[in-house]
Amino acid sequence: MAEKQRYGLLIDYEYCTGCFTCQVACQQEYGWPAGMGGMRVNEIVQNLPKGKAYLTYFPFPTELCILCRPRTKKGLQPACVQHCMAECMRFGPVEELAKEMAQKPRMVLWAPK
Amino acid sequence: MTQSNTTIVPTTTWSAGAGCHGGCGILAHIRDNKLVKVEGNPDHPWNRGRLCARVLAMTQYTHHPDRLRHPLKRVGARGEGKWERISWEEAFDLIEERMKAIRDAYGPESMLFNSGTGRDIYPWICMLAYAYGSPNVMFGLTGSACYGPRLAAVNTVQGDFAVFDAAQWFPDRYDDPRWRRPECMVIWGYNIHATCPDNLFGHWIIDMMKKGTKIITVDPRLSWFASRSKHHLALRPGTDAALAMGFLNVIIREKLYDRNFAQTWTNATHLIRTDTGKLLTEAELVSGGDSANYVVWDEATGRPLVWDCAAVDYRGEAPEAPMFSGSCEVELPQGEKVACQTVWDTFCAEVEQYPPDRVEEITGVSAELVAEAARYYAKAKPAAIHWGVAVDMTPALTPLVQAISCLWALTGNLDVPGGNVIARLAFDVAPYALPGSKGAIRLKSEELDKPRIGVDRYMPLNKFYWRCSTDLSLDQIFTEDPYPIKGMWIQTAGILQGLGMDPKKWRSALEKLDFVVAVDLFHTPTTQYADVVLPATTFLEKDSFRSWWVPLQTINKAMRVDECLPDMEINFELSRRFDPDFRFETLHELYDDILKPAGMTFAELQQKGWAYPPEGSSSCPYRRHEKGLLRPDKRPGFRTPSGRFELYATLREQWGLEPVPHHEEPPFTPVSRPDLAKDYPLILSTGRRSPAFFHSEHRNIPWLRAIDPDPVVEIHPETAAEHGIGNGEWMWVENWMGRARFKAKLTPVVPKWMIMAAHGWWHPEKDAAEPSLYGMWKSNVNQLLPMGHQGKDGMGAPIKHSMCKIYKAGPEEV
Ligand code: SF4
Ligand code: SF4
Ligand code: SF4
């Protein structure tokens, strides 16, 4: 049963400020060298009509994200989720996160593992 | 992962390591005296378990192979990068001998004590300077243009500083029933979520946005906040005061201000003589009257009545109908009649100069947008305006700060829940002199303060800002007038790579000095010019405490790295050597002494971890002016000369400076210098924050450097195309002072007419010795910015706005 349950990360990117905490939290937790890690934060600047633009940051879990199994086993939040400065990341079963996702725009649900 | 042999030490972030102005509760995981991990403390009300990238990278910082681990003595020439290891005893002896020789020959004021941004250093650098006998504690930025000037300016008009309200005063934070969510927050020149400047946690604003707070952003750049704002006012750098005056204009014209507050709590009703343009004083009204008291006109009886500033009340009877707006004729003792008008009318006359269409001309923000944003802010209740260092980085910062404070006050948002709340040091624990407090650590006599550089010229230095003038100090190193400067103690400061504008001039200054000590954690361009370099520690390696606003908290020593010593321990030892009367045997004794107002010892506070001032304490909000909690005499009112919020600043009048807010065009803009604009058509701005770095720090931390690997210039794609510059290509930024090389980042977040150059750049991986000096002479944007253009009151300087031209770097220059 535990095998079947998929977990994921729900990210409210409206509030992601691009603080890079998640990226470094993961590197610290697993000792990844610079340039590697379970999370990469990207900056996206989208041009809008009338000379306007919108600045977004977008955390992307990489091949190296193990969804913090060693932490969650112990009842801890994933390192990135706990430290996220904007408190815009949630960890949980994908079904539950999908329900939450339906409540609000500008959300992304990752299920890296 | 917690293992049985790992100890978890709860502590507070402040200074080296985090770099920021601190306040986060963290848990340091220590194994065998080594930091293995840092986590945010979920129980700490400040950050609730969150943490920034810089603190999460602390394992790479504390155990960095390049950390200075022993005292060093220079063996080659300055800038040659040759050092010899010495013991602490040798270092202390050498410093004692050299500095005492300077003191004996030239007097203690001949040593400058230079510190960087206000972290866990000012009490201890003051302690050292004062024990030595020098009043010349110097913040190295031109015009001291960071925070101190804002503090001084706000204190001038309202007697206390104020900040946005994220319920940081209460342990239960947003759940505390006393708190209200701001309806609107104006974020003025502030990218606070990157690096949390000014003793606040930037993401509190994001917490409040999630709860519904709407944002107005004042910033030439499209910041993260600007993207999520109801209104984004992308003004031309250096025109902030015109915009603030425009807000006041709309708010007063449309009667959106709090008339009751203006009448009761400001000096709006005080009379100004129309002949002299100055406040009418009691001394003019009656013989034997006090020139520090002012006069109010009672419309009911047609009589002048005296406002007694010391009593913070009317002398005798109070007016039935104090004149708020209008004019009157007052008879003086000799029978002379003088026409007077109220402060309110004088204030409004200035504000009337800034209708939205004129504000559009000055700032570039459309008149409609100015008016709409001003209305939105004024109608939202409660609302806050919070500002960043952009406000300080202009020479006429004081009038700008006055204008913004007047907005807080006149919209009725001062010290109300969710407004701009008065920020006091927790339990009034004041380690060193700050506006409103002389502090526990002082010079031994007022006599010793007399030679402080700039006190005779810049009056805020006598009242609010107990440092010397940076710009005049630099000049004095060369002129030796009125006395020579012979040595410099540099601690938590990077005068060459960070703080110093015109760094070549600073280099010449350092070369001229007889003796220079630098205290740091790593070698930097600045340490290369020192004679002795002392290894300091991160916040994890020291005991200290923090009373910047609320709560009061301790910083707890969790580990030790080789021979590194905390700044305060270094300074404590030397203070004892310099001052035979130094009162304290141990640092903890000194801490206990400073903490007395809180009614607890350092050990007791350490037990608690943090402490919140209770209701009724002057460091606990709200509406303290009504409750008599702001003034030492406990009378209701503000801690200003008149006891009122001063729309017309009495101190500025005394100092011969404009008493009401207004805009002044800065010295190097296309408007003030069209001649220069021909050759240097782009506006050069600097100083935008990176979440990876604190100013010039952290370039050597691999996880952080990977986030922001190169010195970049943000440039609009169209502007770049005009200059044939592609994304990621190297380019030069140049003006009449010099040039620096950057990597182009093409992005529409900057307007076409401006570039934003990253500051604080040097390359720890490059050669330390001159002429490279860690590659700094190629990357340091401060080479394009001047010293010596500080504001009329010595405060503020043109840092955020200059002019430049750009061109692509040749292949040989990359
Ligand atoms: S969930 Fe864990 S492994 Fe995945 S990115 Fe976050 S910190 Fe890294
Ligand atoms: S920690 Fe949170 S706010 Fe920061 S970059 Fe990651 S997702 Fe965004
Ligand atoms: S920068 Fe902000 S999050 Fe980081 S330690 Fe300082 S206050 Fe905390």
Side-chain angles (χ1 to χ4, degrees):
Chain A
M1 199 181 86
E3 265 85 298
K4 280 198 207 128
Q5 180 62 63
R6 298 282 300 281
Y7 288 88
L9 293 171
L10 178 68
I11 290 158
D12 181 346
Y13 61 86
E14 178 176 2
Y15 289 109
C16 168
T17 58
C19 72
F20 287 86
T21 277
C22 48
Q23 184 171 313
V24 179
C26 185
Q27 290 175 309
Q28 178 191 226
E29 189 72 25
Y30 301 105
W32 292 114
M36 286 168 79
M39 188 68 81
R40 286 291 285 272
V41 181
N42 299 286
E43 182 181 281
I44 295 161
V45 186
Q46 178 59 51
N47 284 316
L48 303 176
K50 296 186 195 158
K52 294 202 163 34
Y54 193 87
L55 171 65
T56 309
Y57 291 94
F58 201 58
F60 169 72
T62 73
E63 290 310 296
L64 299 177
C65 172
I66 52 166
L67 277 175
C68 274
R69 197 62 192 121
R71 284 179 69 101
T72 56
K73 261 198 318 216
K74 284 191 275 179
L76 294 169
Q77 289 292 319
C80 56
V81 173
Q82 189 206 305
H83 292 106
C84 172
M85 293 279 276
E87 294 179 344
C88 69
M89 305 175 92
R90 302 244 305 137
F91 168 81
V94 285
E95 298 77 14
E96 273 174 38
L97 296 178
K99 277 186 212 143
E100 222 177 289
M101 189 172 179
Q103 311 295 312
K104 185 188 170 299
R106 293 199 172 104
M107 306 274 255
V108 61
L109 177 54
W110 300 110
K113 281 298 275 184
Chain B
M1 275 167 278
T2 316
Q3 296 188 351
S4 49
N5 57 351
T6 303
T7 28
I8 296 181
V9 184
T11 185
T12 307
T13 61
W14 203 17
S15 65
C20 65
H21 299 135
C24 275
I26 64 150
L27 302 172
H29 297 230
I30 310 286
R31 196 185 308 146
D32 302 329
N33 192 38
K34 265 201 140 64
L35 180 70
V36 290
K37 183 152 84 170
V38 181
E39 295 229 339
N41 183 352
D43 298 328
H44 200 292
W46 182 278
N47 53 317
R48 299 190 303 214
R50 298 178 266 188
L51 213 48
C52 62
R54 287 181 318 291
V55 178
L56 291 166
M58 280 301 290
T59 50
Q60 291 192 335
Y61 196 113
T62 47
H63 303 298
H64 196 289
D66 294 344
R67 255 192 85 175
L68 296 170
R69 286 157 198 271
H70 319 279
L72 297 172
K73 190 169 95 175
R74 179 170 59 79
V75 286
R78 285 197 182 137
E80 216 181 16
K82 294 198 178 136
W83 304 94
E84 177 186 290
R85 177 176 168 180
I86 55 173
S87 70
W88 274 108
E89 209 43 44
E90 283 173 280
F92 284 138
D93 287 349
L94 177 65
I95 291 166
E96 183 182 353
E97 182 202 313
R98 297 291 302 271
M99 282 175 61
K100 278 185 174 167
I102 289 175
R103 186 168 67 180
D104 292 344
Y106 305 98
E109 63 275 14
S110 291
M111 272 297 297
L112 287 179
F113 292 80
N114 166 217
S115 149
T117 183
R119 298 178 292 187
D120 193 6
I121 183 57
Y122 269 109
W124 325 120
I125 200 166
C126 288
M127 170 179 76
L128 176 63
Y130 298 168
Y132 180 79
S134 173
N136 286 322
V137 178
M138 178 185 80
F139 173 43
L141 204 56
T142 174
S144 306
C146 178
Y147 207 50
R150 253 178 296 160
L151 281 174
V154 176
N155 273 270
T156 303
V157 293
Q158 65 182 43
D160 266 293
F161 200 60
V163 300
F164 74 87
D165 182 10
Q168 62 267 45
W169 332 100
F170 313 123
D172 292 338
R173 298 292 309 270
Y174 307 116
D175 294 333
D176 192 291
R178 286 168 287 184
W179 180 72
R180 275 184 68 197
R181 167 180 64 77
E183 279 298 315
C184 165
M185 250 196 84
V186 182
I187 296 174
W188 201 302
Y190 207 24
N191 218 16
I192 179 177
H193 58 86
T195 71
C196 307
D198 306 350
N199 311 300
L200 299 157
F201 183 83
H203 283 73
W204 290 340
I205 300 178
I206 286 104
D207 297 346
M208 298 195 293
M209 286 166 74
K210 288 188 190 167
K211 293 176 194 296
T213 298
K214 298 280 182 290
I215 303 292
I216 295 172
T217 303
V218 178
D219 198 324
R221 283 174 83 241
L222 180 85
S223 62
W224 183 89
F225 285 119
S227 263
R228 286 147 187 80
S229 288
K230 185 153 181 65
H231 300 296
H232 174 204
L233 283 52
L235 78 180
R236 176 167 67 85
T239 62
D240 306 60
L243 184 64
M245 293 302 282
F247 268 46
L248 284 166
N249 183 289
V250 173
I251 288 167
I252 289 173
R253 202 157 29 101
E254 300 184 10
K255 300 216 176 341
L256 298 173
Y257 59 93
D258 184 336
R259 165 70 200 255
N260 190 37
F261 184 92
Q263 170 111 23
T264 316
W265 295 107
T266 76
N267 64 346
T269 55
H270 295 185
L271 293 182
I272 289 174
R273 292 173 64 144
T274 44
D275 56 348
T276 60
K278 293 197 164 167
L279 284 161
L280 177 67
T281 68
E282 187 195 15
E284 293 158 85
L285 189 69
V286 287
S287 55
D290 189 337
S291 64
N293 292 335
Y294 302 110
V295 182
V296 172
W297 186 257
D298 186 2
E299 287 186 307
T301 58
R303 278 183 313 152
L305 294 168
V306 171
W307 176 257
D308 184 335
C309 290
V312 207
D313 206 346
Y314 291 98
R315 165 84 43 80
E317 63 193 298
E320 273 171 58
M323 182 168 74
F324 185 70
S325 169
S327 44
C328 59
E329 225 180 38
V330 180
E331 194 173 325
L332 303 187
Q334 285 81 28
E336 186 197 350
K337 287 186 174 161
V338 290
C340 293
Q341 67 179 34
T342 60
V343 157
W344 179 254
D345 285 358
T346 304
F347 178 79
C348 289
E350 188 62 38
V351 169
E352 274 159 28
Q353 312 280 316
Y354 297 89
D357 47 0
R358 173 152 184 252
V359 173
E360 174 174 338
E361 270 167 41
I362 302 171
T363 64
V365 181
S366 83
E368 298 78 62
L369 193 50
V370 172
E372 236 180 283
R375 275 179 214 125
Y376 188 79
Y377 162 69
K379 287 181 185 167
K381 295 285 182 255
I385 302 179
H386 203 86
W387 48 21
V389 74
V391 165
D392 298 288
M393 291 190 163
T394 196
L397 102 122
T398 305
L400 160 61
V401 166
Q402 281 177 286
I404 294 177
S405 321
C406 289
L407 284 166
W408 305 339
L410 290 177
T411 54
N413 280 308
L414 190 54
D415 214 30
V416 302
N420 278 93
V421 172
I422 284 176
R424 281 272 175 102
L425 299 173
F427 300 92
D428 286 313
V429 168
Y432 66 109
L434 282 166
S437 170
K438 289 260 180 180
I441 292 167
R442 300 180 192 191
L443 267 171
K444 273 194 198 164
S445 73
E446 298 206 349
E447 201 55 35
L448 286 171
D449 195 41
K450 288 208 171 122
R452 185 152 52 94
I453 299 165
V455 281
D456 46 346
R457 202 157 134 194
Y458 299 132
M459 291 308 119
L461 302 187
N462 293 301
K463 183 85 184 159
F464 298 120
Y465 192 72
W466 309 94
R467 310 280 95 83
C468 59
S469 156
T470 308
D471 299 272
L472 299 185
S473 299
L474 176 60
D475 284 345
Q476 193 168 325
I477 291 175
F478 297 105
T479 62
E480 308 202 345
D481 180 32
Y483 56 85
I485 304 294
K486 289 289 170 186
M488 197 153 141
W489 174 276
I490 306 172
Q491 193 167 20
T492 68
I495 198 76
L496 293 184
Q497 74 273 17
L499 281 171
M501 300 302 130
D502 199 353
K504 292 216 167 80
K505 189 167 180 187
W506 277 108
R507 179 176 61 181
S508 310
L510 292 177
E511 278 171 335
K512 189 168 182 297
L513 297 175
D514 289 351
F515 188 58
V516 178
V517 181
V519 188
D520 217 312
L521 290 94
F522 296 97
H523 265 308
T524 68
T526 304
T527 62
Q528 301 309 310
Y529 280 82
D531 303 300
V532 179
V533 179
L534 304 177
T537 68
T538 68
F539 69 93
L540 291 170
E541 303 151 56
K542 69 180 181 188
D543 271 346
S544 187
F545 64 93
R546 189 174 178 283
S547 64
W548 267 106
W549 319 142
V550 172
L552 184 65
Q553 22 187 7
T554 59
I555 298 162
N556 309 315
K557 199 181 271 188
M559 56 184 288
R560 183 145 194 206
V561 175
D562 281 325
E563 290 186 13
C564 305
L565 282 183
D567 293 293
M568 53 285 279
E569 289 184 26
I570 296 170
N571 295 12
F572 192 85
E573 168 62 23
L574 284 169
S575 297
R576 285 159 53 92
R577 289 174 180 236
F578 287 133
D579 179 5
D581 307 326
F582 195 71
R583 285 199 293 137
F584 303 98
E585 290 296 322
T586 68
L587 202 49
H588 282 212
E589 244 178 66
L590 170 64
Y591 291 174
D592 288 346
D593 192 63
I594 298 171
L595 286 168
K596 267 185 198 146
M600 51 190 125
T601 63
F602 180 73
E604 284 161 352
L605 180 61
Q606 211 167 22
Q607 276 299 312
K608 293 187 216 267
W610 56 84
Y612 283 82
E615 182 86 44
S617 147
S618 67
S619 47
C620 181
Y622 295 100
R623 301 187 194 283
R624 278 161 284 184
H625 54 287
E626 293 174 11
K627 298 174 189 158
L629 286 171
L630 296 179
R631 295 175 54 87
D633 58 20
K634 308 271 182 254
R635 297 206 163 90
F638 292 92
R639 197 168 46 172
T640 55
S642 66
R644 289 292 171 260
F645 181 100
E646 296 190 354
L647 297 172
Y648 180 102
T650 54
L651 286 171
R652 298 260 303 169
E653 180 188 88
Q654 282 164 28
W655 296 341
L657 297 164
E658 307 86 346
V660 290
H662 61 276
H663 170 66
E664 290 172 36
E665 187 64 31
F668 304 110
T669 73
V671 174
S672 58
R673 294 298 302 271
D675 55 325
L676 288 174
K678 280 190 216 118
D679 290 330
Y680 306 104
L682 287 171
I683 291 179
L684 165 65
S685 194
T686 80
R688 69 104 179 87
R689 303 272 169 159
S690 160
F693 307 135
F694 202 84
H695 298 309
S696 63
E697 294 164 47
H698 301 106
R699 300 301 189 288
N700 53 353
I701 308 301
W703 288 331
L704 301 175
R705 183 69 179 273
I707 293 169
D708 211 346
D710 300 302
V712 292
V713 149
E714 293 172 344
I715 176 169
H716 193 277
E718 287 180 29
T719 311
E722 277 169 29
H723 291 82
I725 295 168
N727 194 35
E729 289 188 319
W730 289 97
M731 56 180 271
W732 290 98
V733 179
E734 182 176 319
N735 72 6
W736 57 94
M737 288 192 60
R739 65 175 192 167
R741 201 200 53 167
F742 296 90
K743 203 174 217 183
K745 178 179 177 182
L746 272 54
T747 169
V749 305
V750 283
K752 291 172 196 162
W753 37 263
M754 177 185 121
I755 61 161
M756 171 56 77
H759 70 295
W761 267 94
W762 57 292
H763 302 265
E765 69 279 10
K766 292 191 179 165
D767 192 8
E770 291 278 15
S772 159
L773 205 65
Y774 293 113
M776 188 204 86
W777 298 117
K778 258 191 179 169
S779 314
N780 187 348
V781 69
N782 291 356
Q783 292 170 102
L784 284 77
L785 297 167
M787 294 293 300
H789 288 270
Q790 63 275 24
K792 290 178 210 165
D793 56 358
M795 300 282 169
I799 301 176
K800 285 278 186 193
H801 36 69
S802 185
M803 293 183 283
C804 67
K805 66 178 179 187
I806 56 172
Y807 50 94
K808 200 159 150 172
E812 72 289 353
E813 297 168 322
V814 172

